[in-house]
Amino acid sequence: MSSGNCFLQWGFKAYRTSSLRNSSQPANPSRQEIGSAQSTLLPSVNEQTPKTQKIPSLDSELPLEALDDLPSLAPLQPVSEEEAIQIIADPPLPPDTFTLRDYVDHSETLQKLVHLGVDLSKIEKHPEAANLLLRLDFEKDIKQILMFLKDLGIEDNQLGPYLTKNYAIFSEDLENLKTRVAYLQSKNFSKAQIAQMVRNAPFLLSFSVERLDNRLGFFQKELELSVKKTRDLVVRLPRLLTGSLEPVKENMKVFNTRLFKVKERHLFLTYLGRAQYDPTKPNYISLDKFVSVPDEIFCEEIAKASVQDFEKFLKTL
């Protein structure tokens, strides 16, 4: 037993001896009694009294009661050079203003994404991307998505560009992704066609089944296409399923408006007896000019009539 333990045990025995004696002695003890008590409390001359108290190390075996008597370490307590070199500290993380490349040395997930060809310089432009990727575990969160994409038909050299554009796929539930693929298969899209669509429209699988179904129905109805032609259209242009519908609706309105205008002009020329589109005959009218010029030029140069006459004719339709 170390000298520290001897000291602690001796002190406890002395305290008990003193307490017992004090409880049995009168309030005013005699000088002889005091001397007797002191001789009991003090160690004998033959015992070795340590000049300084040695504090036991935390690694040694101590009774639990003795741990309460250990002095607390001051936060600014100096340490020796030998102790300092044994301190192991994690390297500091980069400051708040950073690029994802600053974190590559600290994140196994980012290291493996870089090996796959993911361009972190493009992803870090989106503030939410860094928070997402740094929270992900490669084995638990990313590996299963990569295997799903490979089974779908995305080649190894295509994974990097794909994930650079759609890094948010890691936040998708794997079962939801499988459900969306199953929906496309139910619409008779082949595996090769689905892979082609996913490559050319990286956000395709981020759309729910309901949204995909609404998009397919919209184009089939508005363009008056058959099921097969609708399928062929979105295979060639899969971003029609993921992009905004407003530009599409606007363009469709301008096709319909032009068609209606062509019909109006043709009927007016027929009324005047000037609807002659054969280049081998006199008074030939160029279809290109017929469609592109404004109403004033159409009436003056092609119909040989006034704008007012054209407007009056339109009211009869």
Side-chain angles (χ1 to χ4, degrees), residues 257-270 277 290 310 313-314 317:
T257 300
R258 286 182 177 177
L259 179 61
F260 187 67
K261 184 176 289 295
V262 168
K263 184 178 181 180
E264 289 178 337
R265 291 183 176 185
H266 170 69
L267 292 175
F268 185 54
L269 291 176
T270 302
Y277 310 116
F290 170 83
F310 182 48
F313 172 79
L314 294 180
L317 298 178

Side-chain angles (χ1 to χ4, degrees), residues 73-87:
L73 296 176
L76 300 181
Q77 179 178 349
V79 295
S80 65
E81 293 186 3
E82 294 182 357
E83 294 173 326
I85 62 176
Q86 295 178 359
I87 296 176

Side-chain angles (χ1 to χ4, degrees), residues 112-212:
K112 292 186 176 180
L113 289 178
V114 169
H115 290 321
L116 286 173
V118 176
D119 190 343
L120 297 181
S121 65
K122 293 182 179 179
I123 292 180
E124 67 192 13
K125 295 178 182 178
H126 308 276
E128 75 284 356
N131 293 328
L132 171 64
L133 296 182
L134 290 174
R135 290 197 308 265
L136 296 177
D137 179 85
F138 188 86
E139 293 295 328
K140 293 190 300 183
D141 305 315
I142 293 182
K143 190 174 182 179
Q144 58 180 356
I145 301 295
L146 295 178
M147 298 304 298
F148 165 77
L149 292 174
K150 286 176 62 67
D151 291 341
L152 194 63
I154 307 299
E155 302 294 337
D156 290 346
N157 61 347
Q158 297 169 339
L159 286 173
Y162 176 86
L163 296 174
T164 300
K165 294 178 181 178
N166 188 18
Y167 57 86
I169 195 172
F170 294 130
S171 63
E172 295 280 354
D173 182 78
L174 182 59
E175 293 304 316
N176 288 339
L177 296 175
K178 292 179 179 179
T179 299
R180 294 161 193 170
V181 172
Y183 166 77
L184 294 174
Q185 291 173 336
S186 72
K187 295 298 180 180
N188 293 325
F189 289 94
S190 67
K191 183 176 180 179
Q193 288 175 331
I194 295 174
Q196 178 181 335
M197 293 166 64
V198 171
R199 284 194 298 266
N200 295 332
F203 297 100
L204 179 65
L205 295 181
S206 297
F207 279 62
S208 66
V209 169
E210 292 75 15
R211 293 186 69 181
L212 291 174

